Amino acid sequence: MNDLERKKRFLQQTSELYREMIELTDHDAIKRYLAFRIIVNAMSFEDLIDHRRYPTMRTIRDTLLAHKQRSDFFEAFHAVDHIDRRSIGALLDFMSRQTHASDPRLRPLEIQDDAVNRRFRSVLTCVLKCYEQSALSGFRLTNNFLAHTGSHVHEISSSDMAGVFYRYNSSMALFQLSQCIFNNIHNCGDFAMSTRHAKLDMILHAQNMADCAIRDRRNRYSIDGLLEVSQTTGIGDPQRLVVLSSDASFRCLYNSIRSVRNGLIGHMDGAEDLSDLLDTLDQLPISDVHDLVNLVDEAVYDVSQTHRAILIRYNSANEPFNNPNIRAIEGFAPRPYDN
């Protein structure tokens, strides 16, 4: 099998693994969190074969990952209405039809071995339920790209500051879900493939959190982060992010994580051999990913303390309403994922 076919198989098989995971939860937001990885894979797959068929899904991916976006996005476009079983099934079918060669080494043991599959499903069902209870249950203030539930309050705004935190909070939520999965499965050798992909998700969203804080100027499609928006609008004091942007340890962590992200998940590197890309992923310490997130989030928190408009948005990532008098919230409720 040539390397192009192996890369196609890698993306397709990963997506099948995430389809399996989606079936293990009844919560629509978690289904869409997991489905976002299939969208990312499918867009990489399209680029790999130079055949783009799903522009709406590309818009969704690009917007969350801090690329240029439609000016009316936060006012008129609800991405969750486009992420459901039918649309994700179309992406899976597209990748399957375009993938002809087979490589058993790329097929997750979590899928191909019945006994491992039963254990995997049992563990992941518990993990996803615990995540739901801790991060999504009840009435909340949640400015999150994919977490519309009908019982959460959201900001609907097209301002640049709102856009920064809509993306930042979304990637923080997806990072936390993948971290929860990683922490509960990485010690099981039979779950090696799902562990690897949870790590990749953490890498994707760790870098995106950094790009939402400080614009990635090496990517001509990137949009302003909190640093640039604060400087342009005069809202808050972004000095803490200015200092971080020139910090050598931050730049070193960011560059190593960016290298893996750009080779395997944000994009699929067409030139480097897949085996080498996977070796680079496996050699990256997971502690580096945590360190990057901690450095970025500490700096964003510090900047949020300098202006109420930033603090409110920082605190709206996932804030439960602990008021017993609240009986209902008439929020935006998308169609169920499984419709």
Side-chain angles (χ1 to χ4, degrees):
M1 179 189 296
N2 64 41
D3 198 54
L4 173 61
E5 290 299 325
R6 291 191 72 230
K7 288 171 178 173
K8 289 163 57 179
R9 176 62 67 180
F10 175 81
L11 292 168
Q12 185 264 332
Q13 289 291 289
T14 302
S15 299
E16 292 294 339
L17 178 63
Y18 275 71
R19 169 157 50 187
E20 182 89 359
M21 293 165 66
I22 288 170
E23 299 302 318
L24 303 180
T25 178
D26 294 325
H27 199 282
D28 283 345
I30 298 178
K31 288 177 183 287
R32 291 185 168 103
Y33 285 3
L34 296 168
F36 183 74
R37 175 59 184 279
I38 298 176
I39 294 171
V40 170
N41 284 351
M43 298 306 98
S44 294
F45 194 101
E46 283 188 341
D47 292 340
L48 201 60
I49 66 173
D50 194 24
H51 181 46
R52 295 188 176 186
R53 291 191 54 185
Y54 299 95
T56 297
M57 294 302 178
R58 189 166 293 272
T59 297
I60 291 170
R61 185 206 67 168
D62 288 353
T63 298
L64 193 150
L65 299 182
H67 285 53
K68 289 182 179 179
Q69 60 191 267
R70 295 161 38 164
S71 60
D72 64 343
F73 188 88
F74 295 105
E75 296 176 321
F77 183 83
H78 294 293
V80 289
D81 277 340
H82 297 270
I83 304 175
D84 56 23
R85 179 180 294 276
R86 181 178 298 177
S87 63
I88 296 303
L91 298 180
L92 290 160
D93 290 346
F94 166 71
M95 286 185 280
S96 180
R97 289 195 305 270
Q98 299 290 333
T99 305
H100 307 296
S102 179
D103 187 340
R105 295 169 297 176
L106 298 178
R107 182 165 172 78
L109 194 63
E110 297 91 329
I111 293 177
Q112 67 174 312
D113 184 281
D114 289 343
V116 174
N117 178 259
R118 285 193 296 272
R119 294 202 309 275
F120 177 72
R121 292 177 66 88
S122 176
V123 171
L124 260 292
T125 298
C126 293
V127 170
L128 298 179
K129 177 57 69 174
C130 288
Y131 178 84
E132 175 189 340
Q133 293 171 347
S134 65
L136 290 166
S137 63
F139 303 121
R140 295 171 183 262
L141 174 62
T142 310
N143 278 333
N144 184 315
F145 189 66
L146 299 174
H148 294 283
T149 67
S151 62
H152 292 188
V153 174
H154 302 266
E155 176 182 16
I156 303 297
S157 171
S158 59
S159 75
D160 291 339
M161 187 67 74
V164 163
F165 279 98
Y166 221 47
R167 293 186 301 276
Y168 185 83
N169 294 342
S170 298
S171 265
M172 180 183 290
L174 270 67
F175 175 87
Q176 290 169 343
L177 173 60
S178 54
Q179 180 184 43
C180 183
I181 294 171
F182 180 91
N183 288 345
N184 283 280
I185 65 175
H186 77 278
N187 287 322
C188 180
D190 287 341
F191 300 163
M193 193 68 78
S194 49
T195 296
R196 174 183 269 168
H197 290 299
K199 182 179 180 180
L200 266 179
D201 279 330
M202 292 171 67
I203 287 168
L204 176 69
H205 294 292
Q207 186 196 313
N208 198 51
M209 288 173 66
D211 290 342
C212 291
I214 303 168
R215 180 178 180 176
D216 174 15
R217 296 197 174 275
R218 285 175 291 186
N219 184 342
R220 61 194 174 107
Y221 296 111
S222 289
I223 57 180
D224 287 345
L226 177 59
L227 168 60
E228 293 78 18
V229 171
S230 179
Q231 290 173 331
T232 300
T233 62
I235 299 174
D237 179 1
Q239 184 58 31
R240 182 67 178 80
L241 286 169
V242 173
V243 172
L244 181 64
S245 67
S246 59
D247 182 271
S249 60
F250 165 74
R251 298 313 312 177
C252 182
L253 283 171
Y254 178 88
N255 288 336
S256 63
I257 288 167
R258 174 192 170 96
S259 176
V260 176
R261 182 263 191 200
N262 285 359
L264 270 174
I265 184 165
H267 309 279
M268 173 62 76
D269 190 311
E272 190 168 355
D273 186 80
L274 178 61
S275 296
D276 293 336
L277 292 169
L278 293 174
D279 285 344
T280 303
L281 166 65
D282 294 339
Q283 291 164 14
L284 179 74
I286 195 66
S287 59
D288 284 5
V289 186
H290 288 121
D291 288 346
L292 179 66
V293 169
N294 290 336
L295 282 171
V296 169
D297 197 50
E298 182 180 5
V300 171
Y301 171 81
D302 288 347
V303 174
S304 76
Q305 304 305 299
T306 67
H307 197 284
R308 182 169 175 77
I310 306 177
L311 178 61
I312 290 172
R313 290 185 168 96
Y314 179 82
N315 287 338
S316 70
N318 194 346
E319 186 72 17
F321 293 137
N322 296 316
N323 185 338
N325 295 319
I326 297 177
R327 295 286 183 262
I329 292 176
E330 294 183 4
F332 168 71
R335 294 188 301 272
Y337 178 89
D338 290 319
N339 261 16

